[in-house]
């Protein structure tokens, strides 16, 4: 435990004096009657067994908390090192890695060039800006990457969001700001926000965006983008393609008669892309040996189609460059003609501030979801916070060369992964390919048909649409989230991508909060079960560990003697799906076991406890039904039974004795939730008066939760009783064996010795000497073991040999309590909690003191 640097005698006196002045009662809890003279003895809290080791659990301190959250010097150095992940592997770089990176980098480079130019048109920017973004994204990312597969660059959805921002700023401010300047400022501000989130290691915030929200956002965006590209594909003009999706569909159908020759270049290019992919997919299945060749053919289909249609365009338009037969890209400047220091002002930021959240969200969710997905596929783990640093730095630096916002691309990442990439350094190879395109191919780019690029975009975003089978699987898992999915898609189609993003995220968050607020606890009942393997019932006295565990006996023997089951606790209402034919019995009259289902904090505390109290009132009666002598003494909300109701003395319901709370799903509590427990405890004490309700807790997994409950007076018994006197109470602890025949260490040794005995038995049989050479790895009574082993010739005889050896029949170890004896009502599991509750209820019922003059312990041995 971290020590308190201020815990000196002088500081302690000052603290106690200050507490007295302020009226703070330091020992207000009066645990187990410490302030009561002669009422209680040490027996109430002492655990006294000759072979037992005492354990008093210390409460966590605030200094301990600070010590756990404040990084040490070494941790700070490791943090700085983690900001540059490439240093972890770059010194191990080798030729084999280089070959894999070369192949993957060149392949991705061939794909990113046409895609980058196409996506720049979505951002309403000249095509060269797509090349700039492609170059800077892959060049910078590898320094900060924790994913070898991700390819940073322009993507369809983010380009569309950027285009919407530029359109809105242009509509508001006209030509005051150049579109490329606004795009650069958007990249810098968005990148700075994302980078900050990553640097302070808040990448876990991305987890609040559910898979449903991501799928809806991607599907709606893909539909929006594909529909918006149809007019360009067909050569139709005369309306805005950035309106809501449904308006674009209506306008496209309305102006279908304006279709031009561009449709021939667009529709055939789109069809060819799908034909090539389908043919390659079929070929890889039909000819498995050529699977790699078909993969590369399918991967490079975009390059092939663009080159083919560029050639066709050159043949058609080479003699009339000024008046082409269909729209082409036109002149593309060579090199980085737009490189400069980005122009960013506060007025410009305010112009797109309302669109900034959507931009940041798209930057985050698309990249992180892709990185996690491919990390799982390829068996490595990404660091989400570090990935945010990578995206942020990329977008902070890229605008200096004219780039606009970029993030991870799903299609190019998939290609890179399948191409056999070995390290993030493949991004440098891709950057070289893009650099060559920027300087060597601008003359070729002139003839690329716009309609063909639209076909490339439609083909690319088609893969982002969630397939119907996946939606069906969503329905099977969580029908409510499927409604959120469709809500997000519909909002995107009938409003905008940004509104769709906000809708899915807010509704998903609302669903999460609703589940937390409306979490409902379950009352548990007890049932005895046996473990069955096939038609064999596992015996209770069998070894619990190793290869000898699970020796079985056939049920057909009809004998159940010697078989021991175990008690488990199931919801009485069977809402967990357990067999409703199983009759669950109440653990004990007046004792209730209540399980929290989804944590216990201030949002759901009242809902949990209201249901618990309501059920307890229904199933129990007041301890003193005549506690109100006159009818007028009764409160308005408890007017008493009607005249025709039977006498309360004939009520068969039990009185409330104890409550056991299962905290298995609870990690932290807060002031509000603990105060609710205090209020309910007081309420039930009045209900059970003159008795006092015992509160037991099981499966508390957090020391701070124990501290909070203990501060509220839970964890130890009430010192007052019905007769106004103070009595001893019976502690029931769980203890564990330190060594001894039932310990885990002994079981491991048993398993090892059994395997050795089995091996020697077989070797001895082959040598014609039977089982006389069997030896154990232990030095304890080796002679006795060998004598017993003479009759061993099967698995059962080996087990019998080991079990009859004194090494496994003597327990020489001590036992120790599992949890602190100073919190006897905090239990390791429900069984020990129930034992404790029943023991003390029984003793109180028969009028005996809670313990004998010499303290005793009842508990289960945990091995």
């Amino acid at each position: 435990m971290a020590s308190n640097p201020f815990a000196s005698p002088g500081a302690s006196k000052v603290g106690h004096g200050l507490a007295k002045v302020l009226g703070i009662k330091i020992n207000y809890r009066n645990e187990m009657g410490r302030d009561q003279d002669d009422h209680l003895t040490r027996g109430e809290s002492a655990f006294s067994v000759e072979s037992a080791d005492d354990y008093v659990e210390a409460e966590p301190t605030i200094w301990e908390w600070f010590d756990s959250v404040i990084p040490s010097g070494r941790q700070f150095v490791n943090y700085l090192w983690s900001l540059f992940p490439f240093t972890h592997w770059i010194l191990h770089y080798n030729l084999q890695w280089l070959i894999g990176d070369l192949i993957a980098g060149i392949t991705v480079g061939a794909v990113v060039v046409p895609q980058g130019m196409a996506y720049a048109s979505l951002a309403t920017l000249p095509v060269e800006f797509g090349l700039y973004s492609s170059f800077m994204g892959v060049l910078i990312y590898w320094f900060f990457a924790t994913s070898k597969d991700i390819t940073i660059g322009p993507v369809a959805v983010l380009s569309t969001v950027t285009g919407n921002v530029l359109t809105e700023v242009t509509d508001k401010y006209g030509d005051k700001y150049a579109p490329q300047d606004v795009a650069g400022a958007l990249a810098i501000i968005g990148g700075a926000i994302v980078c900050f989130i990553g640097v302070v290691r808040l990448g876990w915030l991305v987890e609040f965006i559910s898979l449903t929200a991501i799928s809806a956002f991607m599907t709606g965006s893909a539909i929006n983008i594909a529909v918006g590209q149809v007019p360009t594909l067909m050569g139709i003009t005369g309306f805005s393609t950035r309106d809501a999706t449904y308006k674009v569909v209506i306008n496209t159908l309305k102006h279908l008669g304006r279709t031009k020759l561009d449709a021939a270049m667009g529709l055939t290019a789109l069809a060819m892309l799908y034909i090539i992919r389908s043919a390659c997919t079929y070929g890889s299945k039909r000819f498995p040996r050529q699977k790699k060749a078909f993969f590369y053919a399918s991967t490079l289909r975009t390059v092939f189609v663009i080159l083919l249609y560029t050639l066709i365009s050159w043949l058609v338009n080479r003699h009339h460059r000024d008046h082409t037969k269909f729209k082409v890209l036109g002149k593309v400047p060579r090199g980085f003609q737009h490189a400069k220091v980005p122009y960013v002002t506060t007025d410009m930021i305010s112009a797109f501030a309302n669109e900034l959240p959507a931009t940041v969200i798209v930057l985050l969710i698309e990249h992180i979801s892709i990185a996690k997905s491919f990390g799982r596929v390829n068996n490595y783990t990404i660091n989400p916070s570090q990935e945010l640093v990578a995206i942020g730095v990329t977008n902070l630096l890229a605008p200096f060369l004219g780039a606009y916002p970029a993030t991870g691309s799903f299609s190019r990442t998939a290609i890179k992964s399948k191409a056999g990439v070995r390290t993030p350094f493949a991004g440098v190879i891709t950057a070289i390919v893009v650099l060559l395109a920027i300087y060597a191919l601008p003359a070729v780019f002139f003839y690329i048909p716009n309609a063909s690029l639209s076909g490339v975009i439609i083909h690319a975003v088609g893969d982002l649409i969630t397939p119907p089978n996946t939606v069906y699987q969503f329905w099977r898992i969580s029908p409510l989230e499927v409604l959120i999915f469709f809500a997000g898609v519909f909002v995107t189609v009938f409003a905008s991508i940004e509104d769709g993003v906000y809708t899915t995220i807010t509704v998903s968050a609302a669903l999460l909060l609703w589940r937390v607020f409306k979490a409902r606890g379950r009352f548990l009942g007890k049932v005895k079960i046996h473990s069955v393997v096939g038609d064999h019932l596992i015996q209770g006295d069998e070894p619990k560990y190793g290869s000898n565990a699970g020796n079985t006996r056939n049920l057909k023997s009809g004998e159940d003697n010697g078989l021991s089951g175990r008690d488990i606790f199931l919801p009485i209402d069977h809402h967990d799906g357990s067999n409703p034919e199983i009759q669950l019995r109440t653990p004990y009259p007046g004792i209730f076991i209540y399980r929290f289902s989804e944590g216990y904090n201030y949002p759901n505390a009242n809902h949990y406890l209201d249901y618990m109290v309501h059920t307890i009132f229904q199933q129990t009666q007041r301890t003193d039904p005549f506690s109100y002598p006159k009818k007028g003494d009764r409160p308005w909300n408890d007017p008493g039974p009607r005249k025709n109701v039977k006498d309360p003395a004939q009520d068969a319901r039990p009185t409330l004795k104890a409550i056991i709370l299962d905290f298995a799903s609870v990690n932290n509590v807060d002031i509000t939730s603990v105060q609710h427990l205090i209020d309910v405890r007081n309420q039930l004490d009045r209900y059970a008066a003159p008795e006092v309700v015992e509160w037991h807790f099981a499966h508390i997994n957090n020391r701070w939760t124990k501290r909070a409950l203990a501060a509220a007076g839970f964890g130890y018994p009430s010192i007052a009783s019905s007769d106004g006197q103070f009595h001893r109470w019976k502690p029931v602890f769980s203890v564990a064996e330190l060594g001894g025949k039932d310990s885990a260490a002994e079981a491991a040794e048993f398993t090892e010795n059994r395997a050795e005995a089995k091996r020697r038995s077989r070797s001895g049989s082959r040598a014609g000497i039977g089982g006389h050479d069997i030896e154990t790895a232990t030095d304890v009574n080796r002679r006795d073991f060998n004598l017993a082993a003479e009759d061993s010739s099967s698995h059962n005889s080996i087990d019998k040999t080991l079990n009859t050896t004194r090494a496994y029949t003597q327990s020489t170890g001590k036992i120790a309590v599992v949890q602190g004896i100073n919190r006897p009502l905090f239990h390791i599991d429900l069984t020990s909690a129930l034992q404790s509750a029943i023991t003390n209820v029984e003793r109180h019922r028969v009028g005996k003191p809670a313990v004998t003059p010499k303290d005793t312990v009842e508990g289960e041995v945990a091995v």
Side-chain angles (χ1 to χ4, degrees):
M1 180 190 303
S3 60
N4 185 346
F6 300 103
S8 62
S12 178
K13 290 181 179 180
V14 171
H16 283 74
L18 183 61
K20 187 174 183 180
V21 171
L22 296 177
I24 299 175
K25 298 179 181 179
I26 297 177
N27 296 319
Y28 70 97
R29 286 181 285 179
N30 188 23
E31 299 179 18
M32 296 175 285
R34 289 180 179 176
D35 298 337
Q36 300 291 337
D37 296 333
D38 301 328
H39 284 305
L40 298 178
T41 66
R42 292 175 57 85
E44 280 70 28
S45 58
F47 177 68
S48 178
V49 174
E50 270 184 29
S51 62
D53 287 338
D54 290 349
Y55 169 63
V56 177
E57 182 177 352
E59 288 185 348
T61 65
I62 190 65
W63 307 108
E64 183 180 351
W65 182 84
F66 277 122
D67 185 64
S68 66
V69 298
I70 297 177
S72 63
R74 183 177 182 82
Q75 289 174 325
F76 183 72
V77 172
N78 290 336
Y79 162 73
L80 294 179
W81 191 33
S82 70
L83 291 175
F84 303 95
F86 79 95
T87 58
H88 300 180
W89 53 265
I90 193 67
L91 295 179
H92 302 278
Y93 204 80
N94 54 66
L95 181 60
Q96 189 173 353
W97 288 3
L98 178 61
I99 293 173
D101 289 344
L102 276 172
I103 296 173
I106 294 172
T107 303
V108 173
V111 174
V112 74
V113 170
Q115 280 193 352
M117 293 189 295
Y119 294 152
S121 63
L122 292 177
T124 65
L125 292 170
V127 294
E128 61 266 24
F129 289 93
L131 297 176
Y132 303 155
S133 297
S134 301
F135 173 76
M136 291 298 290
V138 293
L139 180 64
I140 299 173
Y141 173 71
W142 77 278
F143 284 99
F144 308 95
T146 61
S147 170
K148 69 180 179 65
D149 299 298
I150 282 287
T151 299
I152 297 287
V155 296
V157 179
L158 186 56
S159 296
T160 303
V161 172
T162 302
N164 294 341
V165 172
L166 300 185
T167 302
E168 183 174 344
V169 172
T170 302
D171 292 342
K172 287 183 179 179
Y173 297 93
D175 297 333
K176 182 178 180 180
Y177 303 114
Q180 59 267 29
D181 290 341
V182 177
L186 181 65
I188 289 175
I189 301 303
I193 295 173
V194 173
C195 186
F196 173 78
I197 295 174
V199 167
V200 298
R201 293 306 193 240
L202 294 178
W204 50 268
L205 290 173
V206 182
E207 305 298 336
F208 282 101
I209 304 175
S210 67
L211 177 60
T212 308
I214 295 173
S215 299
F217 151 72
M218 298 296 283
T219 300
S221 300
I223 295 173
N224 181 290
I225 294 168
V227 170
Q229 289 302 304
V230 170
T232 306
L233 184 80
M234 305 291 291
I236 302 173
T237 58
F239 59 92
S240 173
T241 59
R242 294 194 170 273
D243 289 336
T245 304
Y246 77 98
K247 292 183 178 179
V248 177
V249 172
I250 294 173
N251 289 328
T252 301
L253 295 175
K254 186 186 298 183
H255 298 88
L256 201 58
R258 299 182 182 179
T259 302
K260 299 177 182 176
L261 186 59
D262 299 70
M265 305 300 290
L267 290 175
T268 55
L270 180 60
M272 184 173 292
L273 287 168
Y274 279 107
I275 290 171
I276 294 174
R277 185 173 72 174
S278 300
C280 290
T281 302
Y282 174 79
S284 63
K285 294 179 180 178
R286 183 71 173 81
F287 307 100
R289 294 183 179 180
Q290 305 300 324
K291 188 174 183 179
K292 202 70 173 178
F294 282 113
F295 162 73
Y296 284 109
S298 178
T299 297
L300 298 176
R301 65 185 180 275
T302 301
V303 179
F304 170 74
V305 168
I306 289 297
L307 290 177
L308 175 62
Y309 280 84
T310 301
L311 175 61
I312 295 173
S313 176
W314 177 77
L315 293 173
V316 173
N317 298 308
R318 57 179 173 168
H319 297 303
H320 32 78
R321 288 167 55 97
D322 295 334
H323 303 283
T324 56
K325 299 294 184 180
F326 41 80
K327 290 184 178 180
V328 295
L329 287 184
K331 185 178 180 179
V332 177
R334 177 178 280 103
F336 297 96
Q337 300 295 324
H338 300 277
K340 64 177 182 178
V341 176
Y343 176 68
V344 182
T345 64
T346 54
D347 291 339
M348 184 185 294
I349 296 173
S350 62
F352 58 74
N354 60 328
E355 300 292 342
L356 195 57
T359 304
V360 172
I361 290 172
V362 174
L363 277 171
L364 294 175
I365 62 176
E366 193 165 1
H367 180 95
I368 298 299
S369 61
I370 295 170
K372 284 186 175 181
S373 175
F374 282 90
R376 296 187 187 102
V377 169
N378 295 308
N379 197 29
Y380 63 86
T381 303
I382 69 158
N383 182 340
S385 295
Q386 183 58 29
E387 288 297 312
L388 298 186
V389 172
I391 305 172
V393 173
T394 299
N395 284 280
L396 279 170
L397 299 180
F400 285 86
L401 289 184
Y404 68 92
T407 189
S409 166
F410 178 82
S411 60
R412 295 194 296 273
T413 298
I415 291 171
K416 190 177 181 182
S417 176
K418 292 181 181 179
V421 64
R422 302 304 301 272
T423 72
F425 187 74
V428 176
I429 310 301
T430 302
I432 294 174
V433 174
V434 177
L435 187 65
L436 290 174
I438 291 174
Y439 279 95
L441 299 179
V444 178
F445 296 156
F446 180 92
Y447 290 100
I448 296 178
N450 284 342
S452 299
L453 280 181
S454 293
V456 169
I457 294 173
I458 294 173
H459 181 69
V461 300
D463 294 333
L464 301 180
I465 297 177
T466 305
N469 183 60
T470 302
V471 177
Y472 174 72
Q473 295 300 324
F474 288 170
W475 175 264
R476 294 284 299 168
I477 295 171
S478 177
L480 275 178
E481 292 186 84
V482 174
L483 299 179
I484 297 175
F485 170 82
F486 282 113
V489 173
F490 289 151
V491 170
T492 302
V493 169
F494 289 97
S496 65
I497 293 176
E498 294 82 355
D499 292 340
V501 170
Y502 299 145
T503 298
T504 52
I505 292 177
T506 53
V507 177
S508 295
L511 177 61
L512 173 64
L513 290 176
W514 180 78
R515 285 173 170 167
V516 171
F517 274 89
K518 304 300 288 185
R520 184 172 181 177
R522 301 291 179 195
F523 283 94
L524 305 182
K526 186 175 73 170
V527 63
K528 189 180 222 34
I529 66 168
H530 302 273
S531 296
V532 177
V533 179
D535 60 347
H536 292 73
L537 197 63
I538 295 180
Q539 299 186 27
D541 56 355
E542 296 172 336
K544 300 178 179 63
Y545 304 94
S547 59
N548 199 46
N551 287 333
T552 55
R553 182 169 69 109
N554 199 299
L555 284 173
K556 294 180 181 179
S557 62
E559 298 177 3
D560 198 32
N561 297 329
L563 294 176
S564 63
R566 64 185 186 277
D567 291 332
I568 65 169
F569 301 88
L570 298 174
I572 294 177
D573 56 12
H574 291 287
H575 282 179
D576 64 334
S578 56
N579 191 345
E581 294 183 3
I582 297 176
Q583 298 296 323
L584 298 174
R585 62 179 186 273
T586 303
Y588 188 90
I591 297 179
F592 294 87
I593 303 177
Y594 190 65
R595 172 180 292 165
F596 298 117
S597 59
E598 294 200 32
Y600 178 70
N601 296 98
Y602 71 91
N604 53 28
N606 193 61
H607 189 262
Y608 271 134
L609 298 182
D610 282 352
Y611 172 69
M612 184 188 76
V613 171
H614 175 73
T615 303
I616 289 175
F617 283 172
Q618 282 186 330
Q619 298 183 10
T620 61
Q621 61 172 319
R622 283 185 177 274
T623 304
D624 181 7
F626 304 102
S627 56
Y628 300 108
K630 299 179 181 179
K631 190 173 182 180
D633 295 336
R634 302 187 70 93
W636 65 271
N637 60 332
D638 184 17
R642 297 179 181 177
K643 293 182 179 180
N644 57 349
V645 176
K646 61 183 181 181
D647 188 352
Q650 300 177 1
D651 193 343
R653 294 178 300 172
T655 58
L656 179 61
K657 301 292 193 305
I659 296 174
I660 301 172
L661 297 181
D662 185 355
F663 265 49
S665 65
V666 179
N667 189 42
N668 293 289
V669 294
D670 48 58
I671 294 175
T672 306
S673 59
V674 172
Q675 184 60 48
H676 278 299
L677 273 178
I678 295 173
D679 294 341
V680 169
R681 178 182 62 188
N682 296 335
Q683 179 186 10
L684 295 181
D685 280 346
R686 290 192 295 269
Y687 177 74
E691 303 295 340
V692 176
V693 180
E694 279 192 8
W695 289 76
H696 297 259
F697 296 80
H699 298 131
I700 302 180
N701 303 313
N702 189 309
R703 293 174 62 211
W704 286 94
T705 300
K706 292 180 182 178
R707 167 176 159 153
L709 293 173
F714 297 101
Y716 43 86
S718 174
I719 60 175
S721 63
S722 58
D723 56 6
Q725 302 297 320
F726 296 93
H727 295 289
R728 296 176 177 233
W729 50 273
K730 186 174 184 61
V732 180
F733 300 105
S734 293
V735 298
E737 195 168 8
L738 305 178
K741 69 187 182 76
D742 285 332
S743 67
E746 189 74 8
E749 184 182 0
F750 180 94
T751 301
E752 181 180 351
N753 290 339
R754 182 181 183 278
E756 178 68 14
K758 184 177 178 181
R759 185 184 67 80
R760 291 178 178 271
S761 176
R762 289 177 177 175
S763 62
S765 298
R766 288 195 296 269
I769 59 174
H772 296 281
D773 288 339
I774 299 177
E775 296 181 5
T776 63
T778 181
D779 293 332
V780 181
N781 294 324
R782 195 179 294 232
R783 180 181 60 82
D784 293 341
F785 181 84
N786 287 328
L787 288 174
E790 292 180 357
D791 297 331
S792 301
S793 59
S794 65
H795 299 333
N796 291 334
S797 62
I798 291 173
D799 297 338
K800 185 177 180 180
T801 298
L802 293 173
N803 282 315
T804 56
T805 304
R806 282 198 294 263
Y808 298 100
T809 57
Q810 295 178 349
S811 177
T812 59
K814 286 187 176 183
I815 60 174
V817 289
V818 178
Q819 293 191 314
I821 61 175
N822 54 328
R823 299 285 179 265
L825 300 189
F826 291 160
H827 304 279
I828 195 68
D829 59 8
L830 288 174
T831 300
S832 56
L834 183 60
Q835 288 174 347
S836 178
I838 293 177
T839 299
N840 285 283
V841 168
E842 287 285 347
R843 282 183 168 271
H844 184 73
R845 183 174 61 85
V846 298
K848 295 181 179 179
V851 291
T852 57
K854 180 171 180 62
D855 295 336
T856 61
V857 175
E858 291 186 2
E860 57 180 19
V861 177
V863 295

